[in-house]
Amino acid sequence: MTGDTPRKGIVLAGGTGSRLFPITNGVSKQLMPIYDKPMVYYPISVLMLAGIREIAIITTPQDQDQFRRALGDGSQWGVSFTYIVQDRPEGLAQAYILAEAFLDGSPSCMVLGDNIFFGHGLPELLERACARETGGTVFGYRVADPERYGVVAMDAEGRVTQIIEKPEKPPSPFAVTGLYFLDGTAPARAAKVTPSARGELEITSLLEMYLADGALTVERMGRGYAWLDTGTHGSLLDAGNFVRTLQSRQGLQTGCLEEIAYEKGWIDRARLEELAEAMAKNDYGRYLKTLLRD
């Protein structure tokens, strides 16, 4: 991105995973497998594709050790992870308050730990959002049932006119995905958000502050993109099948942190070889070895 202050990343991976009980009784939802990788690999891959290397992982007190074991400090992928505890989930906007010291005035990109994004041109879309040093950028995705989501409405020029949470009569078919690029004022703005009727600091309320300042941009994810959220047993299985079909048809990995790190020059050939060798007995490790040959 341009400017002197690098953008930092946030993965919000808190919550109890209650919609997925009983399978999440003993493990964090965001560490459940999506085919051949933990779910959290996919949102981390989005941040890495955007060129972000300093990443905060926000988790519950009881799950933090699981994430540390699964992800380490990030150095194996040329990034650094900072772990932040969320004692109680109090809404998505709370993440910016919890991460204020980590962000230290930097612009950020937050991605929800149970969201998966895929599409040709995704890195370019992310880089475009990353390059905006002020204001906020959200991503609109056309859905058949927008009343289940936060919805963004736009005028004929594509400017945001309204953002509304779970509307009875949606003003557009575009849901706001779990990916938010906000400038360095996000924590201060989040601190001014008042709890909603359900007692949460709603991300919609935070985004409305940007909209009121004329500083909210929407990027539409068109037909060539997939946005999956994995909050139910069915959608968890669907996401795994989607990744399996994609990878077996194309012979390419999705959400492969080692590949992204290697292509960006954040890790060298020797490190990639080491990571591949550790998984030499499965298809994932064999795929990493093909990167060395290519």
Side-chain angles (χ1 to χ4, degrees):
M1 63 172 290
T2 58
D4 298 326
T5 310
R7 194 174 292 268
K8 296 182 180 180
I10 302 169
V11 178
L12 184 54
T16 61
S18 57
R19 286 194 296 162
L20 289 174
F21 283 171
I23 61 173
T24 50
N25 279 336
V27 63
S28 167
K29 172 176 76 172
Q30 292 86 2
L31 292 175
M32 296 298 296
I34 302 296
Y35 186 47
D36 58 354
K37 292 174 285 292
M39 186 188 298
V40 75
Y41 272 42
Y42 298 90
I44 290 172
S45 75
V46 170
L47 298 177
M48 291 173 64
L49 285 171
I52 294 170
R53 301 182 71 174
E54 289 185 69
I55 300 169
I57 312 281
I58 299 179
T59 70
T60 66
Q62 62 271 23
D63 291 333
Q64 192 179 107
D65 284 347
Q66 293 178 19
F67 279 90
R68 288 183 183 274
R69 283 198 301 276
L71 302 175
D73 63 3
S75 60
Q76 71 274 30
W77 301 309
V79 300
S80 67
F81 294 138
T82 296
Y83 291 91
I84 297 174
V85 166
Q86 182 185 43
D87 290 314
R88 293 188 308 279
E90 295 177 344
L92 303 187
Q94 183 194 25
Y96 294 96
I97 298 170
L98 295 173
E100 183 172 14
F102 163 77
L103 293 174
D104 193 26
S106 295
S108 62
C109 171
M110 180 169 80
V111 59
L112 304 188
D114 61 357
N115 277 217
I116 296 172
F117 297 89
F118 175 83
H120 177 69
L122 181 61
E124 291 77 15
L125 197 67
L126 297 171
E127 286 167 12
R128 193 157 67 235
C130 234
R132 296 188 187 106
E133 295 179 50
T134 59
T137 302
V138 294
F139 295 81
Y141 187 88
R142 189 183 185 97
V143 293
D145 48 356
E147 63 279 356
R148 291 182 50 227
Y149 302 89
V151 172
V152 59
M154 294 154 276
D155 64 18
E157 279 74 47
R159 290 186 295 256
V160 183
T161 57
Q162 190 181 14
I163 191 157
I164 181 168
E165 189 67 30
K166 296 183 175 66
E168 285 184 25
K169 295 183 178 179
S172 91
F174 286 94
V176 178
T177 72
L179 179 62
Y180 314 91
F181 282 78
L182 300 182
D183 64 20
T185 67
R189 290 177 187 264
K192 296 176 184 174
V193 172
T194 54
S196 65
R198 59 178 185 163
E200 296 200 350
L201 304 179
E202 306 286 357
I203 191 73
T204 308
S205 301
L206 175 57
L207 297 174
E208 281 174 343
M209 293 182 186
Y210 282 94
L211 178 57
D213 291 343
L216 188 65
T217 301
V218 62
E219 293 276 3
R220 277 186 274 197
M221 291 180 161
R223 285 177 182 264
Y225 288 91
W227 169 49
L228 308 172
D229 105 25
T230 49
T232 66
H233 298 108
S235 60
L236 192 69
L237 182 62
D238 289 344
N241 285 332
F242 172 80
V243 171
R244 180 175 185 264
T245 301
L246 202 66
Q247 293 184 176
S248 58
R249 291 279 297 206
Q250 295 188 328
L252 299 170
Q253 275 282 339
T254 300
C256 180
L257 306 185
E258 294 85 356
E259 180 177 18
I260 297 168
Y262 184 58
E263 288 189 347
K264 286 191 172 292
W266 297 350
I267 61 172
D268 61 15
R269 185 181 176 85
R271 173 55 64 92
L272 181 61
E273 199 162 1
E274 185 183 315
L275 294 170
E277 194 54 44
M279 293 181 278
K281 293 182 179 179
N282 63 33
D283 287 342
Y284 194 97
R286 286 189 279 275
Y287 176 78
L288 296 182
K289 290 198 171 184
T290 68
L291 300 178
L292 292 163
R293 289 199 298 273
D294 293 346

